[in-house]
């Protein structure tokens, strides 16, 4: 059959329907998350100047450098606050609208945010940028929980690892696209920054046009909607020559087991001894992933000249994509645990390497290149290991809320590290040892 691609010469197949859903759902969610992480870096100076010009027009006097820094910091970090709030609403949304329905309905947030940011300079309103960033954060918090859930429920067991990594790959692609478009030769000029910020609507429009044509999650249709006919139709759409009856019986067994279980709150879930180790696994791996220092490394300057920084950043983005693809195609053969342990260990060694190069770079000229190599190593280790291997195939929505709350924790930890380094300059040289020791 032309619709099937055989993986590893096994009897399990990846259909074009599964691949299309994975592509569309990740395009309008995970890719936007990556894009929004990097989109504010290139036009930072132009946005600050816009804040100052607006203050002069409104009050007759400009802002101090400290005030401009605070406003820009709020503009950047409000995205994380929105993401945290959005992730906590996932359980309610997926129960009411379904997995695909939540993704489709949440696209309205992106269009509103894109309009606010795109017309902010025309309206002379910095507040529109901040509100737009907050709304995009809400969307990312929702979609980053729903997409792994949706893909995990429509995929056969042997393909859940492969499809579960698609969102992570698209996060790297989103960052890479933002870095490419942010070059001065493309959209990195002052007159283009509103368009640069509002481009988030493009992939969302593609998702909105095509994703509704695909079926809802079979598990949601059967267990939560009790619609056996729609479940069979969805399974036939996503499977070509699979034992549909066996999958339905498995979901019905899960439905019977869930019917005898009472709905619990987050606090009750934490206190439940029967899932204690599962919760510890979710929290520890998430905390380790987010406290790995990847954000600090992404903003670390290894002694590269200002004129070359933007091109070096694009290079690191390309490495993220390549390393993510390597992890995607090796996870089913190697396993998650070896990739996690290997990735964390390699990142720890590279963090120590950065610290050593910082100490010696004043005396040894080539240490700048060692710093660059260590930065590349940390990014590659993260994308192959912890950044890729922890896929969230957990049935309970509460687990997704707990997990995604930690997903935005790295922003706050990095802010704390920056504050410490700002007031105690001597800690700067040894800050990466904190991440290396943790890894």
């Amino acid at each position: 059959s032309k619709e099937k691609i055989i993986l590893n010469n096994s009897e399990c197949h990846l259909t074009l329907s599964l691949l299309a859903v994975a592509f569309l759902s990740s395009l309008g969610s995970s890719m936007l998350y990556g894009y929004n992480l990097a989109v504010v870096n290139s036009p930072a100076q132009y946005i600050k100047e816009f804040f100052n010009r607006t203050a002069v027009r409104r009050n007759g006097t400009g802002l101090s450098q400290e005030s401009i820094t605070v406003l820009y910091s709020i503009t950047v970090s409000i995205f994380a606050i929105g993401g945290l709030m959005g992730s906590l609403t996932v359980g309610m949304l997926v129960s009411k609208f379904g997995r695909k329905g939540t993704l489709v309905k949440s696209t309205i947030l992106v269009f509103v945010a894109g309009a606010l940011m795109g017309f902010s300079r025309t309206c002379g309103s910095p507040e529109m940028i901040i509100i737009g960033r907050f709304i995009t954060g809400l969307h990312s918090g929702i979609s980053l929980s729903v997409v792994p859930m949706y893909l995990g429920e429509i995929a056969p067991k042997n393909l859940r690892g492969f499809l579960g990594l698609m969102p992570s790959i698209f996060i790297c692609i989103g960052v890479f696209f933002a870095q490419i478009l942010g070059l001065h030769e493309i959209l990195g000029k002052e007159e283009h920054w509103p368009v640069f910020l509002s481009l988030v609507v493009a992939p969302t429009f593609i998702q909105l046009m095509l994703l509704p044509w695909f079926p809802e999650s079979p598990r949601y249709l059967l267990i939560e909607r009790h619609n056996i006919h729609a479940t069979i139709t969805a399974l036939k759409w996503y499977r070509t020559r699979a034992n549909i009856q066996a999958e339905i019986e498995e979901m019905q067994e899960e439905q019977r087991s869930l019917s005898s279980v009472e709905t619990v709150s987050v606090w009750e879930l934490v206190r439940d001894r029967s899932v204690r180790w599962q919760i510890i696994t979710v929290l520890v791996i998430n905390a380790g992933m987010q406290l790995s220092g990847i954000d600090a490394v992404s903003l670390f300057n290894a002694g590269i000249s200002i004129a070359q920084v933007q091109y070096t950043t694009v290079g690191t983005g390309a490495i993220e994509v390549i390393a993510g693809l390597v992890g995607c195609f090796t996870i089913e053969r190697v396993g998650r645990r070896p990739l996690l342990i290997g990735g964390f260990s390699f990142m720890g060694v590279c963090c120590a390497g950065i610290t050593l190069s910082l100490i010696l770079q004043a005396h040894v000229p080539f240490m700048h290149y060692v710093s660059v190599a260590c930065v590349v190593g940390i990014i590659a280790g993260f994308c192959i290991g912890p950044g890729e291997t922890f896929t969230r195939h957990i049935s309970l929505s509460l687990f997704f809320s707990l997990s995604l709350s930690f997903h935005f924790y790295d922003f706050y930890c990095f802010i704390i590290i920056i504050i410490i380094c700002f007031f105690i300059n001597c800690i700067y040289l040894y800050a990466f040892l904190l991440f290396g020791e943790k890894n």
Side-chain angles (χ1 to χ4, degrees), residues 208-228:
L208 181 61
M209 291 295 100
L210 299 179
L211 188 60
W213 295 97
F214 292 87
E216 180 57 83
S217 162
R219 181 186 177 278
Y220 170 78
L221 293 172
L222 181 63
I223 296 179
E224 300 191 36
R225 291 301 180 188
H226 311 288
N227 191 334
I228 184 66

Side-chain angles (χ1 to χ4, degrees), residues 167-297:
S168 299
I169 298 297
F170 272 84
I171 290 176
C172 298
I173 293 175
V175 172
F176 183 58
F177 265 92
Q179 293 166 345
I180 288 288
L181 294 176
L183 293 175
H184 186 74
E185 293 83 355
I186 305 178
L187 293 179
K189 299 179 181 179
E190 182 176 5
E191 61 268 22
H192 294 149
W193 68 260
V195 177
F196 189 30
L197 295 180
S198 62
L199 275 182
V200 291
V201 301
T204 305
F205 179 77
I206 297 174
Q207 183 190 66
L208 181 61
M209 291 295 100
L210 299 179
L211 188 60
W213 295 97
F214 292 87
E216 180 57 83
S217 162
R219 181 186 177 278
Y220 170 78
L221 293 172
L222 181 63
I223 296 179
E224 300 191 36
R225 291 301 180 188
H226 311 288
N227 191 334
I228 184 66
H229 298 292
T231 302
I232 295 174
T233 301
L235 284 174
K236 287 182 178 179
W237 187 281
Y238 293 124
R239 313 282 190 270
T240 52
R241 295 178 182 175
N243 190 347
I244 295 177
Q245 184 60 36
E247 287 198 53
I248 292 177
E249 290 176 357
E250 181 181 350
M251 287 188 288
Q252 288 175 333
E253 179 63 29
E254 181 182 359
Q255 183 182 20
R256 285 190 291 269
S257 64
L258 289 176
S259 62
S260 60
V261 178
E262 295 182 359
T263 303
V264 297
S265 64
V266 174
W267 176 244
E268 291 172 332
L269 182 68
V270 171
R271 296 180 60 186
D272 189 350
R273 292 181 179 272
S274 64
V275 293
R276 181 67 52 81
W277 282 109
Q278 290 91 324
I279 295 176
I280 291 175
T281 301
V282 170
L283 298 184
V284 168
I285 296 181
N286 261 288
M289 182 172 63
Q290 302 307 328
L291 296 176
S292 61
I294 187 64
D295 285 328
V297 169

Side-chain angles (χ1 to χ4, degrees), residues 67-112:
S67 300
I68 295 176
T69 302
V70 169
L71 279 176
Y72 180 74
S73 301
I74 293 174
T75 303
V76 174
S77 61
I78 199 70
F79 175 75
I81 303 297
L84 178 62
M85 296 180 63
S87 67
L88 297 176
T89 66
V90 170
M92 174 189 66
L93 293 175
V94 295
S95 297
K96 183 176 182 180
F97 301 114
R99 284 59 165 152
K100 185 194 73 173
T102 300
L103 287 177
V104 172
K105 288 179 171 57
S106 65
T107 56
I108 185 64
L109 296 174
V110 181
F111 291 112
V112 172

Side-chain angles (χ1 to χ4, degrees), residues 288-327:
M289 182 172 63
Q290 302 307 328
L291 296 176
S292 61
I294 187 64
D295 285 328
V297 169
S298 300
L299 299 177
F300 172 66
N301 186 350
I304 304 171
S305 63
I306 296 177
Q308 300 298 321
V309 165
Q310 60 175 343
Y311 303 105
T312 306
T313 303
V314 172
T316 59
I319 291 172
E320 288 185 30
V321 176
I322 295 172
L325 290 172
V326 171

